[in-house]
Amino acid sequence: MPSLALDIRGLVKRFDRPAVDGLDLQVRAGELYTLLGPNGAGKTTTLRMVAGLLDPDGGRIEVCGIDIAADPIAAKRVVAWLPDEPLLYDRLTPVEYLQFIAGLWSVSPDVAATRGRDLLGLLGLWEHRDERCEGFSRGMRQKTVLAGALLREPKLMILDEPLTGLDAAAARLVKDLLHARVADGATVILTTHILDVAERMADRIGIIRAGRLVAEGTLDELRQRAGLRHETLEELFLDVVAGRAEAA
Amino acid sequence: MSASPSTFWLARHELMLMRRDVSRLRRKVVWILLGVFASMHLVGLAMLRALRRQETTETQFTMMLSIGLAFIFGLMLAKALTSAVHAIHGRRDLDLLFSAPVPTHRVVAVRMLAVALGTALPFLFIVAPFANVFALMGLPRYLAVFGVIIAFALVSTVIGLLMALGLLKLVGARRTEIAAQIIGAVFGAAAFLLSQARVLLPEQLRETLWLALFERAASVDKGGDPVWMWPGQAASADPRALAIILGGAIVFFALSVRLVAPAVAWWARASFGAPGPIVGAQRKRAQRPLAFQPGVTRALFVKEWRLLARNPLTVFHTLMKSLYLAPLVVVALRADDPLLGSAAVAGLVVAIALQLASALASNTVSGEDARDLIAAAPVSPARLRLVKLAAAMTPVLILVALSSAALAIVSVKAALWTLGMSAAAAASAGLMELWHEEPPSRTDLRRRTHDLSALTFIETAMTLAFGGATFFAVNGSPLAFAPAAIAAALLVALAPKSARKAAA
């Protein structure tokens, strides 16, 4: 298995202005990496390019050793992308949704049935498995989508704001499941604006500003590089994005 | 303290939103619409010449005009109902406006004026070429038809608003939008069937009615004044009729909006954030075992068919479209020449195939709910598009195959033309859907939504062209080339540059 789950070199994406501007980012296999940055910093654009949803204007992305420009289908097989808005079909039931996901990612029927049953039970959706998703709360929708992602046991999970709108119990469940995936050897990359979550969950933290990585490391490493004057990640983050501290 | 915004200020805001919608239309679509608008002047000219050749009296023409305007009013009601529901339930900015220091009735009045304008515009577009031609040919008084259209738009908006409120009370906020679209489609189909009454009614009854109309025309000439002819008279610039219809509509609109404004505000607030209907939860059924099947194509097909079958509007529109078969089936049964009847049915089947293919492809391609999920799947985009189109085309294929089999009993030639032209028509509808689906960014999706009404016009023209080409082709007439060329030209005009380059 390659030591890097994600290897980004010189990534560029422009819309009206550069959204991602020569980004270099490496995430090791088996770690939980949190990407932070102010609004419009280029986090979601970067992750959408990793998921194969946007074509870069320049640079190179490798996922688990696969160049996504050379073999996008192979790259997509190992990645699960969970955006902030759950990608769900209102008129399908959770079971039908999982059947669809299993078909798209070619999960064998026996494996899918076992994992599907376990995931629906674990996420508290078993009782609702034959109800259409249109009446589900945001938390239930988020959990259904998470079940779909976990069903195919991806090597790299990318989550954009995964805890938005979840109650405390659902947020805790999602965090536990992500830790369990990391413990099983998968890699998780998530973006969040809740800095406490990043502080508690992440093995390493990257801070992105104006499409470039301006700080990276464990929380302790970030503090040391910034001169140990920051008590919390929030203080450090605000100084880094304001350009008052360079911790990279 | 500053005064609250005036009606004019609010109306300017609504107009700005409408103008933004129009400016999002693709330039190509605008040019096609302008082309259709210009060519409709030729139809108007042909109509005026036919009327003069047949020596139609003014009273007879006023009667025809009244009947035509009644038909337009039916269609306007359908549009006003769906727009009124959307204005209350669909656009979430009402909550913002009601929380602002502006009188409720003023907000509602401006919103309903916008609905009325949106209702009137497509019909002004249709009527304008005829009125222009009449004016240019020395009959400028017929420009008064614009006033009648505006009056009808105001009245249909109020009726639509009242029906929307009734629906909200009867079926609740969750189901009102679907119910309104179903009622709107029923109105549309009813208007179509009424327009085909001449074909549908038995010959004897038809002659009796025609005779009665002429007798009524004669009585009008002798000084009668039936109310149902006022719209026609108003459109002919009769000052009394025009004043009653336009003035009455304005007063009716103003009073009604003033009276129902509190109810509109209440429902807008009540329906804010109402989730979609909980269908599965309400239908308790035996829970099935968890069963998975292999195969990407199978998974895509099953998902698309499930979603199509569970979309009540698609199913309903599909059923309604089969109603449009009625007039031509009657023609086919009555025709002395079996080939003529078969040709009419063949043309209609092809037209329905195009419409149905377009509706279903729109559901599977543009209606994709989880665009990013599909894009992130390890399946090539070309295969995805192909499977989605194939899933949409399967019901069309079944309908066409059954119709062709029935037609083959009467004429094998008609059956073969039906099969071939239906395939071409359905493929064209599918291509139009694909071309206007990409690129799938959020901005372009929004623009596509605003292109839709314009595309509907073009799609209707394509439907008529394909249906007409089939009709003439089955009859062995070289006239088939004309509509076929129109269909091909429209398709080429809509094609993106990349597709044209690939074809070249």
Side-chain angles (χ1 to χ4, degrees), chain A residues 48 53 73 76-77 87 89 91 95-96 98-103 105-106 109 112-113 117 127 129-130 132 134, chain B residues 277 279 285 287-288 290-292 294 296 299 303 306-307 310 368-370 372-380:
Chain A
R48 283 176 66 83
L53 300 171
I73 301 294
K76 285 174 178 180
R77 257 189 211 112
L87 302 168
Y89 297 92
R91 291 191 297 272
V95 166
E96 289 164 349
L98 294 187
Q99 287 168 340
F100 176 55
I101 296 289
W105 266 267
S106 304
R117 195 175 302 117
E127 285 302 307
R129 66 188 184 278
D130 285 329
R132 290 189 200 168
E134 56 202 341
Chain B
V279 180
R285 57 185 174 196
Q287 295 196 317
R288 291 165 294 183
L290 224 53
F292 288 80
V296 176
K303 171 246 176 188
R306 270 182 180 147
L307 293 180
R310 288 175 189 175
E368 173 59 54
D369 291 327
D372 279 1
L373 174 75
I374 294 284
V379 186
S380 74

